[in-house]
PDB file of all heavy atoms in Angstrom:
ATOM      1  N   ILE T  30      21.770 -23.960   5.605  1.00 91.00           N
ATOM      2  CA  ILE T  30      23.040 -23.483   5.058  1.00 91.00           C
ATOM      3  C   ILE T  30      23.505 -22.282   5.872  1.00 91.00           C
ATOM      4  O   ILE T  30      22.758 -21.745   6.688  1.00 91.00           O
ATOM      5  CB  ILE T  30      22.925 -23.112   3.564  1.00 91.00           C
ATOM      6  CG1 ILE T  30      21.829 -22.069   3.350  1.00 91.00           C
ATOM      7  CG2 ILE T  30      22.655 -24.341   2.721  1.00 91.00           C
ATOM      8  CD1 ILE T  30      21.700 -21.643   1.908  1.00 91.00           C
ATOM      9  N   GLU T  45      18.944  -8.815  -9.177  1.00 68.00           N
ATOM     10  CA  GLU T  45      17.993  -9.251 -10.196  1.00 68.00           C
ATOM     11  C   GLU T  45      16.644  -8.552 -10.073  1.00 68.00           C
ATOM     12  O   GLU T  45      15.807  -8.631 -10.972  1.00 68.00           O
ATOM     13  CB  GLU T  45      17.782 -10.767 -10.099  1.00 68.00           C
ATOM     14  CG  GLU T  45      19.011 -11.579 -10.457  1.00 68.00           C
ATOM     15  CD  GLU T  45      18.762 -13.070 -10.298  1.00 68.00           C
ATOM     16  OE1 GLU T  45      17.601 -13.502 -10.483  1.00 68.00           O
ATOM     17  OE2 GLU T  45      19.708 -13.808 -10.002  1.00 68.00           O
ATOM     18  N   THR T 125      -9.862  -2.437   6.320  1.00 94.00           N
ATOM     19  CA  THR T 125      -9.838  -1.691   7.574  1.00 94.00           C
ATOM     20  C   THR T 125     -11.205  -1.094   7.873  1.00 94.00           C
ATOM     21  O   THR T 125     -11.699  -1.157   9.006  1.00 94.00           O
ATOM     22  CB  THR T 125      -8.770  -0.583   7.514  1.00 94.00           C
ATOM     23  OG1 THR T 125      -7.507  -1.160   7.173  1.00 94.00           O
ATOM     24  CG2 THR T 125      -8.641   0.118   8.861  1.00 94.00           C
ATOM     25  N   HIS T 148      -3.516  -2.330  -2.965  1.00 82.00           N
ATOM     26  CA  HIS T 148      -3.721  -1.669  -1.677  1.00 82.00           C
ATOM     27  C   HIS T 148      -5.132  -1.898  -1.135  1.00 82.00           C
ATOM     28  O   HIS T 148      -5.463  -1.404  -0.060  1.00 82.00           O
ATOM     29  CB  HIS T 148      -3.497  -0.161  -1.814  1.00 82.00           C
ATOM     30  CG  HIS T 148      -2.074   0.212  -2.106  1.00 82.00           C
ATOM     31  ND1 HIS T 148      -1.475   0.000  -3.328  1.00 82.00           N
ATOM     32  CD2 HIS T 148      -1.136   0.794  -1.323  1.00 82.00           C
ATOM     33  CE1 HIS T 148      -0.236   0.438  -3.295  1.00 82.00           C
ATOM     34  NE2 HIS T 148       0.003   0.915  -2.091  1.00 82.00           N
TER      35      HIS T 148
END
Side-chain angles (χ1 to χ4, degrees):
I30 56 178
E45 293 178 30
T125 305
H148 293 73

